Amino acid sequence: MNGGTPAGAASLRAGDPSGAERAAALRRLAVTTLDANWEHDHTVPSRTLYPHQWSWDSAFIALGLVHVRPDRAWRELRTLFAAQWADGRVPHIVFNPALRVGSYFPGPEFWDSGRADGAPATATSGIVQPPVHAPAAWLVHRQAPSEASLQALHWLYPRLVAQQRYLTGRRDVGGGGLACIVHPWESGLDNSPAWDVPMAAVPADATVMRAYRRHDIAHADAAHRPTDLDYARYVAIVAAYRAGRYRDEGLARRHPFLVECPLVNSALGAAEQALARIATVVGADPGPHRDRAARITEAVVARLYDPVTGTFHPRDLRTDRLVPARTVLGLMPLVLPDLPARQVRAVLAEACSPRFGLAARMDRPLPSYDRTAPDFEPLRYWRGPSWLNTSWLLWRGLRTHHRPDLAAGLRESMFALVAQAGCHEYFHPDTGEGLGSPAFSWTASLLLDALADG
Ligand code: 2M8
């Protein structure tokens, strides 16, 4: 079924229900959406656009499932980590073998993970996504502690540690203590303007896409998705990594896309903070995790903060320069609890500027890109539209840094979006119109989490 235009949202538009009624309707919609997207041992982000399991989606999904079905929250994380590679990487897609060839592009035959050393028996992609899983596991446990949650944490802890080791070890291509991404898909913000400069250096020709069938534009408006030229480059970068069987040795010499992303590295630091907490529960030493969190935070500031713009930017390792675009990625270091006061002030100023419009009473939702930029595109995926996951991360960061006023404004704007449009994948940043998949799992799950914090 399609949970996109729910009775709850329709009745919300028609009348002016009380806060409690609205919350109940939103909750019903979110639960219906998550139930419809549950697939035997994991949740699909969307039945149509993304019919397999995605890595960071599963972490966000667990954060919502815990409020209604804690057993499924743990199942979600266990299924994902069962597909972890021997080197510790957690693949960004775990393919469902029951689906027909062509259900998603690029599918398992394109990734060909079976030929890589240390890949699991299940077919997966060969790249990663932001490591938001340790904080998710910690919050899931804290929300519903039980014997089962303790067992799950014992099982997950060494796997989460291996994930961190992979990212801070093999992926420290720049040598500065941060993880580098080898594909824009690893950031989760696929076609963000943040990648325009490094992507322009990747040789590609849009006509190569004639050899493939894009699955996404059969289910979503092509004008709301990345372009064929973007896809030609996505495919070329995967092909380069796949040719080396997804090995990381020598990437600096041979790989066409190498970038340090503020979101990935803020998640990396926050993960060490969460692992310190998990360590105390599973009987491990939290000290090394705290030390690593401090080092990562320092490196994020030293390598990704620009004192001139007053925000964080990705660092392109091929030129060793920060990319100029001001995107929502620049606000993400607020999830780091030890971010120095100077950077906290700067990020808050950036978030509250007309570029992003954060306020205690927001008139429009948080965009994914600087609204004042000439190439701001309100309909195209990560180049302007508003997304619940980046809003939720900023919301957590605002609470961590003691700004309940701004956190409340952002939370309310998330509720307003879903109340008006349903559990869409993303939203028009001016009108709130729903875009992309109409029944999207992390919109539902993060909404549930924000609702629970009443
Ligand atoms: C989008 O990315 C996939 C590729 O991984 C795609 O466009 O096909 C992104 O929004 C990403 O952040 C998300 O995890 C994925 C599934 O929801 O979709």
Side-chain angles (χ1 to χ4, degrees):
M1 68 151 279
N2 177 338
T5 37
S11 67
L12 286 167
R13 273 197 301 275
D16 182 21
S18 71
E21 274 172 58
R22 183 184 69 162
L26 287 175
R27 191 180 152 88
R28 278 196 301 276
L29 167 62
V31 174
T32 306
T33 304
L34 287 176
D35 277 350
N37 287 350
W38 176 255
E39 178 60 54
H40 74 279
D41 63 1
H42 66 277
T43 308
V44 296
S46 147
R47 286 269 166 212
T48 52
L49 268 168
Y50 315 107
H52 301 281
Q53 181 175 28
W54 260 259
S55 170
W56 78 326
D57 296 64
S58 283
F60 291 133
I61 288 163
L63 285 163
L65 284 176
V66 68
H67 297 288
V68 282
R69 300 179 192 279
D71 53 325
R72 282 194 182 173
W74 291 117
R75 189 85 195 274
E76 184 83 36
L77 292 173
R78 278 181 184 256
T79 302
L80 176 68
F81 278 81
Q84 187 170 28
W85 289 34
D87 60 12
R89 85 182 74 191
V90 177
H92 104 292
I93 306 176
V94 181
F95 290 107
N96 177 353
L99 295 187
R100 62 169 179 77
V101 173
S103 314
Y104 177 76
F105 175 81
E109 61 294 333
F110 186 84
W111 290 94
D112 199 14
S113 60
R115 277 160 41 83
D117 291 338
T122 318
T124 73
S125 69
I127 59 171
V128 301
Q129 274 187 326
V132 290
H133 313 81
W138 174 248
L139 290 173
V140 167
H141 168 71
R142 208 183 59 181
Q143 177 63 35
S146 66
E147 198 43 49
S149 77
L150 277 177
Q151 274 180 20
L153 282 185
H154 274 277
W155 187 86
L156 272 174
Y157 176 72
R159 291 166 172 82
L160 291 166
V161 170
Q163 177 186 30
Q164 293 291 107
R165 200 177 300 128
Y166 170 72
L167 292 170
T168 54
R170 295 179 187 215
R171 285 298 192 86
D172 184 6
V173 175
L178 296 182
C180 101
I181 58 172
V182 302
H183 196 295
W185 284 337
E186 294 201 309
S187 71
L189 274 65
D190 305 358
N191 68 340
S192 168
W195 316 129
D196 288 359
V197 172
M199 281 283 270
V202 177
D205 173 357
T207 59
V208 302
M209 290 310 294
R210 291 191 196 139
Y212 302 106
R213 211 177 134 258
R214 276 181 68 175
H215 162 88
D216 58 325
I217 47 181
H219 295 281
D221 189 330
H224 304 174
R225 293 281 310 174
T227 63
D228 267 359
L229 182 57
D230 291 331
Y231 261 81
R233 292 194 166 112
Y234 296 154
V235 162
I237 301 170
V238 172
Y241 200 27
R242 186 186 58 197
R245 301 212 185 158
Y246 304 112
R247 277 193 290 268
D248 294 314
E249 294 78 18
L251 281 177
R253 240 187 313 106
R254 63 184 160 87
H255 198 67
F257 183 95
L258 297 164
V259 182
E260 290 174 351
C261 165
L263 166 52
V264 166
N265 285 292
S266 301
L268 198 68
E272 290 295 347
Q273 301 275 4
L275 282 168
R277 296 202 166 91
I278 297 173
T280 58
V281 168
V282 301
D285 182 1
H289 295 301
R290 292 199 188 107
D291 294 345
R292 283 198 283 271
R295 284 204 298 277
I296 293 167
T297 302
E298 274 168 32
V300 166
V301 172
R303 292 180 66 76
L304 306 184
Y305 180 69
D306 181 350
V308 176
T309 60
T311 189
F312 290 83
H313 301 258
R315 178 172 292 275
D316 185 347
L317 291 181
R318 302 205 61 85
T319 57
D320 202 24
R321 296 169 87 108
L322 296 179
V323 301
R326 302 172 87 119
T327 70
V328 75
L329 292 167
L331 312 180
M332 295 296 116
L334 214 60
V335 302
L336 292 165
D338 297 332
L339 192 67
R342 176 157 176 244
Q343 277 74 31
V344 171
R345 275 196 305 275
V347 168
L348 289 176
E350 172 78 352
C352 294
S353 75
R355 288 184 281 278
F356 292 96
L358 175 67
R361 290 177 73 90
M362 293 178 64
D363 55 4
R364 289 179 296 178
L366 185 79
S368 46
Y369 182 37
D370 172 2
R371 288 182 179 279
T372 66
D375 55 347
F376 178 76
E377 288 187 77
L379 292 170
R380 201 183 287 281
Y381 216 37
W382 293 99
R383 302 184 70 88
S386 184
W387 292 73
L388 260 275
N389 65 333
T390 40
S391 296
W392 184 90
L393 287 165
L394 183 60
W395 174 63
R396 296 284 316 176
L398 290 167
R399 285 163 20 134
T400 301
H401 292 283
H402 314 294
R403 289 305 304 260
D405 52 335
L406 296 175
L410 188 53
R411 177 172 176 262
E412 177 53 35
S413 82
M414 295 192 262
F415 293 163
L417 276 179
V418 184
Q420 182 195 316
C423 278
H424 269 269
E425 184 182 2
Y426 45 106
F427 302 87
H428 191 295
D430 297 322
T431 65
E433 176 200 349
L435 303 168
S437 164
F440 192 64
S441 296
W442 84 39
T443 301
S445 61
L446 296 175
L447 176 76
L448 270 183
D449 185 61
L451 280 168
D453 188 79

